[in-house]
Amino acid sequence: MVDVADQSLLVQQCGSLGVITLNRPRAVNALNYQMMQGLNAALDRFEADPGVCAVLVRGAGERGLCAGGDIVALYRAMKDAPQEGVEFFRYEYALNLRLSRYPKPYIALMDGLVLGGGLGVSAHGSHRLVTERTRAGMPETVIGFSPDVGVLNILARAPQHLGVLMALTGLHVGGADALAVGLADFFIPSARVDDLVGELSGVADSSEVDGVLAGMQVDAGASPLAAQAAWVQQAFAADSVEQIREGVRQVVAAGGERAEFATRVLGAMEQNSPTGMKVALEAVRRAATQSLAQTLNQDFVTTCRAMEGHDLSEGIRAQVIDKDRNPAWSPARLEEVGGGTVLAFFEPTDAGELGLA
């Protein structure tokens, strides 16, 4: 057992399977610094153990794998100890890159909510499993900054600009959608999760993992998000967030079967941080030609900039501190966020650069 003093992370070996359980169910297993340290230590242990053929990460409780980073702790750090916030992200992004390069199968059970940092500890794994209960998303623009943890590197490569839509709106998607945009690989019924763990614990070699997962997977069905791809591809190819928003408005105004989803998209864009959305668009387009390490380096800079600014603190206040759901963004309108303001988010701060390679 890897020692995490507050038991927010549980680590055990089941046969040839290393199992890591994020164990803060009341907080939907939101990540804190101690959990990430424990996860890194568990990865060290399992990597060195020849008796472990694969590693699986899951979440405790019924609500999900992980709802993201502990933003209440981040809010406090931004107010009282900004360097703690910087070091949290420095550590988190290095861990995200490590997961993408882990030498043994890293199986992420993306059941229930998988948001923000939850995708950071799952979507970069070698084997990513979703279920009918999966609700995945990157809701950073909802709380005043832009998607991070390297996930823009995946969303930038999603077909027909569906990933750009997810980056700007923060909307949650289901398991079939996660498969469609490249966030997941296998769809399994949630009722068979324990059976899956049992079968994986009996593999004699890492090469057997794919066969076990293939035997468990079922048809995810059609992706509701992909069904919207024709108009999304056109609207989200525009050069600016203002132009994208106008394209969405036109779809809403036209009515018909597309209008219901387009209305959800428009509602999100009208509520989210204008600065966050503009930085997200710039970042996701840069990510299209970046390696994961380069995207994570970029994330570190944009996140440090967000911690220095107004909207991130205000967004967290409105969503989880005061819970009035009424953030006062500054600037309040997309048209007031100039290009220079956006580009400044990509200039290194006093925290320096992350330097991942």
Side-chain angles (χ1 to χ4, degrees):
M1 180 72 72
V2 174
D3 181 33
V4 179
D6 62 0
Q7 293 296 294
S8 58
L9 190 85
L10 305 177
V11 181
Q12 61 187 130
Q13 185 170 338
C14 301
S16 58
L17 180 68
V19 180
I20 302 170
T21 304
L22 308 181
N23 189 40
R24 298 181 67 204
R26 290 184 181 179
V28 199
N29 305 312
L31 291 171
N32 58 34
Y33 196 81
Q34 292 72 29
M35 291 168 73
M36 292 192 297
Q37 287 180 311
L39 179 52
N40 241 338
L43 293 173
D44 287 341
R45 167 188 155 181
F46 292 142
E47 183 175 345
D49 188 342
V52 173
C53 296
V55 176
L56 180 140
V57 63
R58 64 189 305 182
E62 296 296 319
R63 297 172 66 192
L65 171 65
C66 176
D70 187 340
I71 59 174
V72 174
L74 174 60
Y75 181 83
R76 293 170 181 157
M78 289 168 61
K79 298 293 185 184
D80 303 323
Q83 190 59 31
E84 290 183 10
V86 170
E87 294 310 312
F88 175 91
F89 289 112
R90 191 187 300 276
Y91 195 95
E92 181 178 27
Y93 299 163
L95 175 60
N96 299 148
L97 185 62
R98 181 185 185 181
L99 294 176
S100 75
R101 298 173 175 176
Y102 199 62
K104 297 181 178 181
Y106 178 87
I107 305 157
L109 184 56
M110 301 164 66
D111 187 37
L113 285 174
V114 192
L115 307 175
L119 281 172
V121 296
S122 58
H124 301 306
S126 60
H127 297 75
R128 303 156 312 165
L129 317 182
V130 288
T131 76
E132 76 283 358
R133 295 181 353 105
T134 297
R135 301 302 297 169
M138 294 297 294
E140 283 73 17
T141 55
V142 178
I143 58 168
F145 72 130
S146 58
D148 65 335
V149 295
V151 171
L152 289 181
N153 198 264
I154 300 172
L155 295 183
R157 291 161 173 79
Q160 298 174 286
H161 302 300
L162 296 174
V164 179
L165 180 151
M166 288 185 64
L168 267 61
T169 64
L171 293 177
H172 301 179
V173 302
D177 299 323
L179 292 166
V181 299
L183 291 169
D185 309 297
F186 298 89
F187 187 98
I188 65 168
S190 60
R192 298 210 66 191
V193 166
D194 290 338
D195 294 338
L196 175 68
V197 173
E199 289 205 26
L200 288 170
S201 68
V203 301
D205 186 82
S206 296
S207 63
E208 298 178 16
V209 168
D210 284 343
V212 171
L213 297 179
M216 285 279 189
Q217 72 176 338
V218 299
D219 183 3
S223 161
L225 182 62
Q228 306 288 332
W231 75 261
V232 170
Q233 182 173 24
Q234 181 175 357
F236 281 79
D239 291 335
S240 69
V241 180
E242 290 95 330
Q243 290 171 330
I244 291 172
R245 182 182 61 184
E246 180 55 32
V248 178
R249 282 176 174 166
Q250 291 176 11
V251 175
V252 172
E257 61 183 19
R258 306 182 305 173
E260 181 179 355
F261 180 72
T263 299
R264 288 180 57 207
V265 172
L266 181 60
M269 295 186 71
E270 290 178 340
Q271 293 173 4
N272 293 350
S273 162
T275 302
M277 287 190 292
K278 286 203 169 184
V279 173
L281 183 62
E282 178 72 19
V284 72
R285 292 192 166 158
R286 293 187 183 203
T289 59
Q290 292 172 340
S291 67
L292 176 58
Q294 289 170 329
T295 300
L296 287 162
N297 289 335
Q298 175 176 278
D299 289 345
F300 182 71
V301 173
T302 56
T303 298
C304 286
R305 285 291 183 189
M307 286 192 290
E308 295 175 348
H310 168 273
D311 277 10
L312 176 55
S313 177
E314 171 63 8
I316 296 174
R317 180 207 64 76
Q319 289 295 322
V320 300
I321 304 299
D322 297 336
K323 299 182 180 180
D324 58 32
R325 306 293 194 271
N326 186 31
W329 304 126
S330 181
R333 300 172 62 250
L334 283 171
E335 294 79 5
E336 296 171 345
V337 183
T341 297
V342 174
L343 293 178
F345 272 77
F346 297 83
E347 295 296 326
T349 67
D350 291 342
E353 298 184 0
L354 188 56
L356 296 176

